[in-house]
């Protein structure tokens, strides 16, 4: 079966037909590294990591590029707030992002460019846009002429007249049109700057990705991905810049966008104060549990992060690894039994069918747990603790199929022993942290700092810890 993908540009599912099967060119917008990455970044990274893995599983060669935006207004402003160097801030958050990705089992992309490494390409691309009449310089800045690009709005479905009437547009008297956006920004005093034909300055956000695509993947790519929040204006502007500069269309054949992560049924946003950093989530849950949670919904659908949904993911992992433990204990002959490759390929087809349908990880995971249920029923039916040869062979087949497909999802890949070791280690760390907080609370109460003591109780309660104060001290339970 042909892989079918939902293309945001056309609003339909289409057969996946890259220009070159041996070199699928995929670009995904990475983080702007002004702060620690949040669970929304994790959603995008995990979704496209699985797409990367599945394309290779299906025999495609893939050049996967995911960038770091390491120069941006947000980085400059945050560095100023923290009174630190913007380069040091970006470097620190790139390192933290890479650590978070490793904890989530996200493979390194083929190429990981930084915007600051592509300044020459950025400047050359802007010069081309000016020469072709798509951009103009104004007082050290350079702006893109949106109305000059006739198909502007094709990706987002927005029309120029609607944008002019309803969008919040940054007022700048130097613009020829309020809709025009910055390609190059003249630097203010004490801001980072690079020399350019228009004076010292720095790139606008949108041109960075166009230039990095051009530099590392060429004038046309197969897949461009990112979160739904990037459809407009970022990806719309990328199309306008790239196609105007190269004269080639389409810039990307397929546009794939992952859905939002909600927190307790509310949209994650700074205004609500509910931004959840990846490493905060990892303090409470394993990387595998977080990854399984993120894959348990289709990548285009919104997903709700809550204590309940994470408990469900952890319960699924427990069920899976408990079944594998049971298989090794009750039917060891099935663990290393040889399996016919043709039969295994046939049993893999339902999983492949799910993934061929726009990378439906939720359906694939559902089919894995259907197989887990079958395994448990077969083990339940063992007579006298032993299974007939044909049933042992069937169990060996199911186990082999899951083991072959698990690396595509990046979950269910460990041994039960590795899973149990991590659980024990995390429990020990959690217990030590709980005891530390209880001791801190006791000291706060001794100092009559009851505000701090109550805050610690609330913090522990959020971790699911119940305290009981007794004459001999404080005990806790979960």
């Amino acid at each position: 079966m042909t892989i079918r993908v939902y293309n945001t540009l056309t609003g339909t599912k289409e057969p996946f037909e890259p220009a070159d099967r041996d070199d699928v060119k995929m670009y995904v917008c990475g983080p702007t590294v002004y702060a620690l990455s949040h669970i929304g970044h994790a959603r995008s990274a995990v979704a496209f990591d699985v797409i990367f893995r599945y394309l290779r599983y299906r025999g495609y060669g893939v050049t996967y590029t995911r960038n770091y935006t390491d120069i941006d207004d947000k980085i400059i402003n945050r560095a100023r707030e923290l009174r630190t160097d913007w380069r040091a801030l970006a470097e620190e958050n790139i390192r933290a992002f890479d650590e978070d990705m490793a904890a989530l089992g996200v493979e390194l992309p083929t190429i990981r460019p930084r915007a600051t490494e592509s300044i020459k390409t950025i400047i050359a691309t802007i010069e081309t846009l000016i020469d072709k009449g798509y951009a103009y310089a104004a007082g050290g800045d350079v702006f893109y002429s949106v109305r000059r690009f006739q198909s502007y709005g094709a990706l987002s479905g927005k029309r120029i007249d609607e944008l002019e009437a309803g969008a919040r547009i940054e007022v700048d008297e130097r613009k020829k049109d309020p809709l025009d956006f910055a390609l190059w920004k003249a630097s203010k005093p004490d801001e980072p700057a690079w020399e350019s034909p228009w004076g010292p300055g720095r790139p606008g956000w949108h041109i960075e990705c166009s230039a990095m695509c051009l530099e590392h993947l060429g004038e046309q790519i197969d897949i461009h991905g990112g979160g739904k929040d990037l459809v407009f204006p970022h990806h719309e502007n990328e199309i306008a810049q790239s196609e105007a500069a190269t004269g080639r269309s389409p810039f990307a054949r397929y546009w794939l966008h992952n859905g939002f992560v909600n927190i307790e049924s509310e949209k994650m946003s700074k205004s609500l104060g509910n931004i959840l950093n990846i490493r905060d989530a990892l303090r409470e849950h394993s990387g595998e549990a977080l990854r399984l949670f993120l894959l348990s919904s289709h990548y285009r659908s919104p997903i709700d992060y809550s204590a309940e949904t994470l408990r469900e993911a952890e319960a699924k992992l427990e069920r899976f690894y408990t079944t594998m433990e049971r298989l090794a204990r009750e039917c060891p002959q099935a663990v290393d039994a040889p399996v016919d490759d043709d039969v295994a390929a046939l049993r893999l087809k339902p999983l492949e069918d799910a993934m061929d349908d726009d990378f439906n990880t939720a359906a694939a995971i559902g089919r894995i747990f259907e197989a887990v249920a079958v395994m448990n029923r077969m083990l339940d039916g063992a007579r006298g603790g032993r299974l007939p040869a044909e049933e042992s062979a069937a169990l060996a087949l199911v186990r082999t199929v899951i083991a072959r497909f698990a690396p595509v999802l990046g979950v269910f890949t460990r041994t039960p022993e590795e899973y149990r070791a991590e659980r024990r280690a995390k429990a020990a760390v959690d217990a030590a942290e709980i005891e530390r907080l209880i001791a801190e609370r006791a000291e706060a109460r001794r100092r009559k700092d009851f505000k701090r003591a109550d805050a610690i109780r609330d913090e522990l309660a959020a971790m699911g810890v119940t305290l009981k104060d007794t004459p001999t001290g404080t005990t806790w339970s979960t």
Side-chain angles (χ1 to χ4, degrees), residues 86-105:
W86 67 272
R87 296 177 192 82
L89 176 67
E91 192 64 42
E92 176 185 345
N93 287 313
I94 287 173
R95 183 168 57 252
F97 177 81
D98 289 347
E99 290 171 354
D100 291 344
M101 293 302 101
L104 292 171

Side-chain angles (χ1 to χ4, degrees), residues 142-216:
V142 180
F143 295 99
Y144 185 92
S145 296
V146 167
R147 292 181 191 275
R148 180 78 169 76
F149 188 72
Q150 294 185 354
S151 59
Y152 191 85
L155 181 69
S156 60
K158 297 180 183 294
R159 300 205 310 261
I160 292 286
D161 54 349
E162 293 173 342
L163 291 171
E164 188 174 31
R168 292 183 296 175
I169 300 169
E170 182 182 350
V171 177
D172 192 324
E173 293 179 353
R174 294 167 300 169
K175 293 181 179 181
K176 294 180 180 179
D177 189 300
L179 295 177
D180 296 348
F181 59 87
L183 298 172
W184 188 261
K185 298 181 178 183
S187 290
K188 299 173 183 176
D190 301 322
E191 286 189 346
W194 288 263
E195 289 300 324
S196 79
W198 318 285
R202 53 192 169 85
W205 175 35
H206 310 301
I207 193 65
E208 293 176 347
C209 284
S210 287
M212 284 184 280
C213 268
L214 182 64
E215 185 172 332
H216 296 286

Side-chain angles (χ1 to χ4, degrees), residues 262-265 276 281 284-285 289-290 293 304-315 461-464:
N262 298 321
I263 306 293
E264 301 285 354
S265 300
L276 178 65
E284 298 184 26
H285 309 285
L290 280 171
F293 155 72
D304 189 49
Y305 182 103
S306 67
E308 180 180 354
T309 54
L310 264 295
R311 280 196 296 269
E312 290 173 359
E314 288 171 338
M463 295 166 59

Side-chain angles (χ1 to χ4, degrees), residues 69-345:
T69 296
D70 62 342
I71 182 63
D72 181 83
D73 290 346
K74 293 179 180 178
I75 295 171
I76 295 169
N77 293 336
R78 178 61 62 87
R80 187 177 292 122
E81 290 171 10
L82 298 176
R83 298 182 179 180
T84 189
D85 179 71
W86 67 272
R87 296 177 192 82
L89 176 67
E91 192 64 42
E92 176 185 345
N93 287 313
I94 287 173
R95 183 168 57 252
F97 177 81
D98 289 347
E99 290 171 354
D100 291 344
M101 293 302 101
L104 292 171
V106 173
E107 291 189 19
L108 290 176
T110 318
I111 306 170
R112 294 179 292 155
R114 303 184 184 199
T116 56
E117 298 170 343
S118 296
I119 298 297
K120 288 183 179 179
T121 305
I122 289 169
I123 291 172
T125 304
I126 295 173
E127 288 182 307
T128 299
L129 290 169
I130 292 174
D131 291 343
K132 289 188 171 185
Y134 286 97
Y136 57 92
D141 291 354
V142 180
F143 295 99
Y144 185 92
S145 296
V146 167
R147 292 181 191 275
R148 180 78 169 76
F149 188 72
Q150 294 185 354
S151 59
Y152 191 85
L155 181 69
S156 60
K158 297 180 183 294
R159 300 205 310 261
I160 292 286
D161 54 349
E162 293 173 342
L163 291 171
E164 188 174 31
R168 292 183 296 175
I169 300 169
E170 182 182 350
V171 177
D172 192 324
E173 293 179 353
R174 294 167 300 169
K175 293 181 179 181
K176 294 180 180 179
D177 189 300
L179 295 177
D180 296 348
F181 59 87
L183 298 172
W184 188 261
K185 298 181 178 183
S187 290
K188 299 173 183 176
D190 301 322
E191 286 189 346
W194 288 263
E195 289 300 324
S196 79
W198 318 285
R202 53 192 169 85
W205 175 35
H206 310 301
I207 193 65
E208 293 176 347
C209 284
S210 287
M212 284 184 280
C213 268
L214 182 64
E215 185 172 332
H216 296 286
L217 296 176
E219 295 182 348
Q220 290 184 299
I221 64 174
D222 297 296
I223 296 174
H224 198 310
K228 283 187 177 179
D229 57 316
L230 299 180
V231 173
F232 185 87
H234 186 51
H235 288 167
E236 195 74 73
N237 290 349
E238 275 193 69
I239 291 174
Q241 297 163 158
S242 300
E243 294 187 3
T246 66
R248 301 189 66 181
S249 178
F251 162 47
R253 290 177 175 80
Y254 305 94
W255 288 86
L256 277 57
H257 293 95
N258 62 274
F260 296 117
V261 178
N262 298 321
I263 306 293
E264 301 285 354
S265 300
E266 289 189 311
K267 183 179 178 180
M268 190 168 56
S269 69
K270 290 180 182 176
S271 60
L272 294 174
N274 64 348
I275 300 292
L276 178 65
N277 291 332
I278 297 171
R279 54 190 46 198
D280 288 339
L282 287 169
R283 287 192 185 97
E284 298 184 26
H285 309 285
S286 71
E288 188 175 20
L290 280 171
R291 187 178 177 100
L292 180 58
F293 155 72
L294 293 168
L295 296 176
S296 292
S297 295
H298 190 279
Y299 78 92
R300 286 192 291 112
S301 302
I303 189 168
D304 189 49
Y305 182 103
S306 67
E308 180 180 354
T309 54
L310 264 295
R311 280 196 296 269
E312 290 173 359
E314 288 171 338
K316 286 179 180 178
L317 285 178
E318 179 69 22
R319 184 157 67 253
F320 176 81
Y321 285 110
T322 297
T323 301
M324 295 302 113
E325 285 175 326
R326 190 181 178 196
L327 179 66
R329 183 177 62 251
E330 299 178 24
C331 191
Q333 64 270 30
V335 174
D336 297 314
V339 170
D340 184 276
D341 284 342
D342 291 337
V343 176

